[in-house]
């Protein structure tokens, strides 16, 4: 556990090695927001504003992180406009991602899955997440993911093999209807 939602925003973490899962929870429900890989800054907003963490960060694998305390972070950023700009850009990216996630709630589950696959696909069109991880990211069941992936496969939009989803038709995924 790197930090939990509600913990003080007292540091920024730089992920050097491994993978970190970012989740939010409300009552018994949990939603996986992302899995980040190096190089990545984790906990940017909390480190900048000093308020409570809004999400939980958990190491998915053995991970190496550099912890930079909030006071040290500001000491680094304050005299260097380029570094300050980078921090502001990182915080803005987090805010933009949150706004996109809120807008995605207006989409159907198939549209959200299609958008997620397009976002996560590498340059070769591969997505290397399990069905359970996709379900966690969309706040749905694994069985629903299986059905949606089956429909995408039948439509020729994707191909699947163990541990890999291959996006075959990016434009088609972008046009998925409810």
């Amino acid at each position: 556990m790197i930090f939990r939602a509600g913990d003080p925003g007292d540091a920024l973490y730089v992920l050097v090695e491994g993978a970190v899962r970012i989740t939010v929870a409300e009552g018994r429900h949990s939603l996986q927001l992302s899995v980040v890989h190096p190089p990545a800054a984790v906990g940017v907003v909390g480190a900048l504003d000093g308020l409570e963490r809004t999400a939980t960060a958990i190491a998915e694998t053995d991970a190496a992180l550099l912890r930079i305390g909030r006071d040290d972070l500001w000491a680094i950023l304050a005299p260097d406009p380029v570094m300050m700009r980078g921090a502001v850009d990182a915080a803005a990216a987090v805010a933009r991602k949150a706004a996109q996630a809120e807008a995605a709630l207006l989409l159907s589950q198939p549209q959200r899955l299609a958008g997620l696959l397009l976002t996560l696909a590498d340059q070769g069109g591969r997505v290397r997440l399990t069905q359970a991880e996709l379900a966690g990211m969309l706040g749905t069941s694994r069985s629903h993911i299986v059905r949606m992936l089956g429909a995408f496969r039948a439509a020729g939009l994707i191909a699947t093999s163990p541990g890999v989803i291959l996006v075959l038709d990016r434009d088609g995924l972008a046009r998925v209807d409810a």
Side-chain angles (χ1 to χ4, degrees):
M1 178 77 56
I2 299 162
F3 55 78
R4 291 182 194 275
D7 286 353
D10 59 355
L12 169 78
Y13 296 86
V14 178
L15 179 61
V16 179
E17 190 175 303
V20 173
R21 180 171 28 110
I22 309 296
T23 63
V24 293
E26 183 64 41
R28 296 181 342 200
H29 302 287
S30 177
L31 182 65
Q32 180 175 308
L33 299 177
S34 64
V35 175
V36 294
H37 301 274
V42 179
V44 174
V45 174
L48 292 176
D49 69 13
L51 298 177
E52 289 183 354
R53 303 285 182 186
T54 58
T56 297
I58 303 167
E60 277 283 291
T61 62
D62 287 340
L65 296 109
L66 171 64
R67 183 186 186 279
I68 303 172
R70 187 168 189 266
D71 292 338
D72 292 333
L73 177 63
W74 281 110
I76 293 166
L77 296 176
D80 188 338
V82 173
M83 292 287 287
M84 181 67 78
R85 170 82 189 251
V88 169
D89 287 349
V94 170
R96 180 175 304 278
K97 189 170 188 170
Q100 290 169 339
E102 287 176 4
L105 293 175
L106 301 173
L107 301 175
S108 69
Q109 286 281 336
Q111 289 169 321
R112 289 176 59 206
L113 177 58
L116 182 61
L117 293 175
L118 289 170
T119 300
L120 296 174
D122 64 19
Q123 289 194 354
R126 290 175 300 277
V127 177
R128 298 181 193 278
L129 289 177
T130 66
Q131 294 166 348
E133 289 170 322
L134 290 171
M137 294 177 88
L138 291 179
T140 191
S141 67
R142 181 181 168 279
S143 63
H144 194 201
I145 294 293
V146 169
R147 285 191 301 275
M148 290 187 289
L149 290 175
F152 291 175
R153 194 173 37 254
L157 302 175
I158 64 168
T160 58
S161 61
V164 178
I165 299 167
L166 180 62
V167 174
L168 300 174
D169 184 353
R170 288 181 183 270
D171 292 336
L173 275 179
R175 292 189 305 269
V176 166
D177 290 330

